[in-house]
Every structure is written in structure tokens, then in C-alpha cells.
Amino acid sequence: MQAFADAEAFQIVSEYVEVETGKGADALDRRPQLKAALVEAKRRKCSIVVAKLDRLSRDVEFISGLMSRRVPFIVAALGRDVDPFMLHIYAALAEQERRNDLTANQGGVG
């Protein structure tokens, strides 16, 4: 993250690490660090930066909700100017990957 911040001339003001996962309407209730990061970003009027989209969420509805509410976030792996359409595509791929992982784990594969 620091290399990305340096390359983009960003200043990292806080870091949050989340170990919980969550999807659906109550995702933020199960992810207190993400909730705190969103609150701080809003207060500071700045973006949240995540290394990869699936670290933010592997739920299209959640990602789409952030976008529709104009919550500023940047995915370092995709660059600061990634097209919103592409974010939706990557979110759908991440969600499908989560589904595949669950199916494989339930079947004893993987």
C-alpha cells in the first residue's frame, strides 16, 4: 500500500486491518474495522484505498451500494481511475470466486 500511495502522491492517514468477513445487508455490523474506516474517510473527506477489490468485499451488491452512495474508494490493483463499469465486472468475478470457493469447500475439494 505504501508503494501505491507514494506513486500516487497519497498520504496514508490511518490503516485498518479486518479479519472478519461479511456479506449482505449487515456486512458492516460484522466488519467493525471497515465501518470505522468508512466513518473516518467520510470525516476526513478522503478515499479508502484497498489493495484488491475482494479485500473490500466479494459481494456485488455491497460494492455497487458503495458506488451508488458515492463512497470514495480506490482499488490499488486496478488503479485510481478505473472505470465504474470495470469495478462492477471485477466485483461480479470476486463474488463468483467466493461462490466457487464455498462449493468446493462444501464438497470437500480444495
Side-chain angles (χ1 to χ4, degrees):
M1 294 305 298
Q2 188 62 54
F4 178 77
D6 291 345
E8 296 291 338
F10 289 156
Q11 176 186 4
I12 297 175
V13 294
S14 296
E15 291 185 49
Y16 294 85
V17 177
E18 190 77 72
V19 293
E20 296 296 321
T21 62
K23 69 176 192 123
D26 67 341
L28 288 179
D29 293 336
R30 291 180 280 139
R31 297 184 65 194
Q33 292 295 302
L34 176 56
K35 187 174 187 174
L38 290 168
V39 167
E40 183 171 358
K42 183 175 183 177
R43 182 179 63 79
R44 290 181 178 267
K45 296 180 172 67
C46 65
S47 297
I48 290 179
V49 180
V50 294
K52 294 173 35 183
L53 186 62
D54 65 357
R55 299 300 83 212
L56 184 57
S57 179
R58 294 199 300 174
D59 182 347
V60 173
E61 183 178 358
F62 185 83
I63 297 295
S64 180
L66 291 177
M67 293 170 68
S68 69
R69 290 190 309 276
R70 303 209 186 288
V71 174
F73 65 91
I74 298 169
V75 180
L78 302 176
R80 76 187 295 181
D81 295 320
V82 67
D83 183 87
F85 175 76
M86 292 305 297
L87 279 174
H88 279 95
I89 297 295
Y90 282 109
L93 291 169
E95 185 173 297
Q96 182 62 42
E97 181 180 30
R98 183 189 72 229
R99 249 187 256 122
N100 291 346
D101 290 348
L102 288 172
T103 302
N105 288 336
Q106 290 171 351
V109 177

